[in-house]
Amino acid sequence: MSTPIPVTSHIAIIGGGPAGLMAAQTAAAAGARVALFDAMPSVGRKFLLAGRGGMNITHAEEYQAFVTRYGKQSQRLRPALDQFGPQQVRDWVHGLGVETFVGSSNRVFPTDMKAAPLLRAWLHRLREAGVQFHMRHRWTGWRDGQLVFATPDGERQLAFDAVILALGGGSWARLGSSGAWVPLLQGQGVAVAPLAPANCGFDVDWSTFFSSRYAGEPLTTVAITARDADGVLSRRQGQFVVTAGGVEGSLIYALSAALREQIAQEGSTTIWLDLTPDFSAERVYDEVTRPRGARSMSSHLQSRLGIKGVKSGLLRECLSAADFADEARLARAIKLLPVTLKRPRPIDEAISSAGGVAFESLDGSMLTAMPGVFVAGEMLDWEAPTGGYLLTACLAGGKAAGEQAVAWLAADA
């Protein structure tokens, strides 16, 4: 910073996820004394969970496309992403001694695919910078202008020169992101959009037979046509999983924001499955109507189009007996099979959450109703698909909050 902050400035950071840790790194590097508080016994718990299947750090697609993945809030997030975007995230990881590679889907991973070594190196760097960690400190609000924490040793009341809140959204409460902060901020006059599940599965009213037979079965070659946020039909190819009560998986998550909003407005929404995305509609019609002799239609579809197992089950589940027996209707359904989604799964099952502190309540990262209190990460009202976008925005937002807290202290000195 061009203006040094007073050496006595003390910043509290509440929340030990990626946004909070990056805010701590940034503020400590600028010379602030930093104390980080978290309700859990250790930091980075959701970060570690996300890395179990391979730690997806960021995404290597072209930057102008990258920033559009944040939907209607892209322009709100862009200033922070411009300063700490995908390449800067990779450079930062490399600076911690962890190498990265770009996978076939343009997702970026550590070379060992693990989150734990990265977190260990990061925490070592933070401790070297003087960041003090206070675990099992659950923030319960303010009293007489001071922060109040519930701890195993009783209540603590502490004063700080600035505060950065990085408490996460409302998903995976057992890892610390419970959304308990919402009424605390609303009580201070801060506008907060209701938290909602993002990157989530959806309920479908499957029959008992279908559910019992196909729950857990993956659909690895399939495309979905659905309405986007503007009501325009769009098509995506990928994979997802049939669950006992519905659908989940990467292809569903990518569409979840628009699907959730449509259900909220209309009570349900419909997606259309293409069970043979590599075949044209004409090819499918020709194969379905090809003479099959004594073979059943199910055997015929398996032989000519590779439709079997859960795909065959979906046709039986979603079509009437009359439609299945009508070759023209069956051929159309194979390319455009309607599935009605009833409800998003509960927020605590979701990978992330939508909603949060309204951007209109902020001046940069600072709450206009509470000078000296800054907010970062999933607490803000934005969402993004999986693929490294969530983590990148949390890191960028944490860095921005740390910088702005330091600048505010310097200006107030």
Side-chain angles (χ1 to χ4, degrees):
M1 306 300 296
S2 58
T3 305
I5 64 171
V7 294
T8 56
S9 291
H10 203 177
I11 297 178
I13 296 173
I14 306 177
L21 294 175
M22 183 55 75
Q25 175 181 318
T26 304
R33 291 189 297 131
V34 177
L36 187 145
F37 300 87
D38 197 284
M40 305 302 287
S42 59
V43 299
R45 293 201 160 198
K46 194 173 178 184
F47 180 82
L48 291 173
L49 180 70
R52 283 187 180 177
M55 185 66 239
N56 183 194
I57 301 166
T58 188
H59 203 285
E61 72 179 328
E62 190 270 329
Y63 183 65
Q64 296 305 317
F66 182 96
V67 295
T68 67
R69 307 304 181 189
Y70 301 92
K72 60 185 179 182
Q73 302 294 21
S74 292
Q75 292 308 307
R76 301 276 197 178
L77 294 174
R78 179 147 194 172
L81 291 168
D82 283 348
Q83 297 300 312
F84 201 73
Q87 186 56 54
Q88 290 79 12
V89 169
R90 293 188 73 184
D91 293 341
W92 165 73
V93 172
H94 298 160
L96 291 173
V98 176
E99 293 303 312
T100 62
F101 73 96
V102 180
S104 58
S105 61
N106 265 348
R107 297 185 180 202
V108 178
F109 302 90
T111 52
D112 65 1
M113 299 291 287
K114 297 177 181 178
L118 174 58
L119 182 59
R120 283 196 299 269
W122 194 5
L123 294 178
H124 178 71
R125 185 72 56 85
L126 290 171
R127 291 189 177 98
E128 283 188 328
V131 175
Q132 298 294 311
F133 291 86
H134 302 273
M135 298 297 97
R136 295 185 174 90
H137 277 60
R138 181 171 55 85
W139 176 60
T140 60
W142 289 272
R143 185 184 302 139
D144 302 326
Q146 297 184 333
L147 297 170
V148 182
F149 296 94
T151 82
D153 299 320
E155 186 176 273
R156 296 184 69 188
Q157 191 168 322
L158 302 169
F160 291 88
D161 300 302
V163 177
I164 299 174
L165 302 176
L167 289 151
S171 63
W172 292 90
R174 66 182 179 85
L175 300 178
S177 298
S178 65
W181 54 266
V182 172
L184 299 178
L185 291 190
Q186 288 176 327
Q188 299 293 327
V190 178
V192 181
L195 299 180
N199 292 297
C200 60
F202 291 85
D203 288 338
V204 179
D205 290 342
W206 301 129
S207 67
T208 301
F209 173 80
F210 180 82
S211 177
S212 63
R213 185 162 184 177
Y214 296 109
E217 291 292 322
L219 286 146
T220 54
T221 307
V222 70
I224 292 179
T225 298
R227 285 177 289 162
D228 64 17
D230 298 318
V232 178
L233 290 176
S234 62
R235 174 185 164 96
R236 286 176 179 261
Q237 187 167 333
Q239 57 187 2
F240 68 93
V241 175
V242 168
T243 68
V247 291
E248 65 177 30
S250 58
L251 184 54
I252 298 296
Y253 300 156
L255 300 165
S256 63
L259 298 175
R260 183 192 67 238
E261 291 177 2
Q262 290 159 23
I263 291 172
Q265 293 171 4
E266 303 171 17
S268 65
T269 192
T270 298
I271 58 175
W272 291 268
L273 306 183
D274 182 349
L275 302 178
T276 57
D278 297 331
F279 295 158
S280 68
E282 292 77 15
R283 166 77 182 277
V284 169
Y285 179 81
D286 288 344
E287 297 293 359
V288 170
T289 57
R290 183 185 296 270
R292 55 188 170 91
R295 286 190 305 181
S296 69
M297 179 56 78
S298 294
S299 296
H300 183 64
L301 294 179
Q302 179 174 346
S303 173
R304 304 306 307 180
L305 295 169
I307 293 176
K308 59 182 179 179
V310 65
K311 288 186 177 182
S312 179
L314 279 166
L315 288 171
R316 293 286 190 180
E317 176 75 4
C318 299
L319 296 179
S320 67
D323 285 343
F324 192 88
D326 185 305
E327 292 179 343
R329 293 179 188 175
L330 177 59
R332 287 195 296 270
I334 289 169
K335 296 297 291 180
L336 215 60
L337 183 67
V339 176
T340 299
L341 309 183
K342 298 291 189 177
R343 298 162 294 276
R345 294 298 300 161
I347 190 170
D348 198 44
E349 296 179 13
I351 292 175
S352 58
S353 59
V357 174
F359 282 91
E360 291 77 12
S361 295
L362 299 172
D363 177 8
S365 298
M366 186 170 72
L367 295 171
T368 53
M370 305 187 73
V373 179
F374 300 80
V375 183
E378 276 196 76
M379 289 183 70
L380 294 170
D381 184 14
W382 60 272
E383 61 183 302
T386 58
Y389 305 103
L390 288 162
L391 180 56
T392 299
C394 285
L395 293 170
K399 184 174 187 293
E403 290 174 344
Q404 291 168 31
V406 167
W408 181 81
L409 287 168
D412 199 46

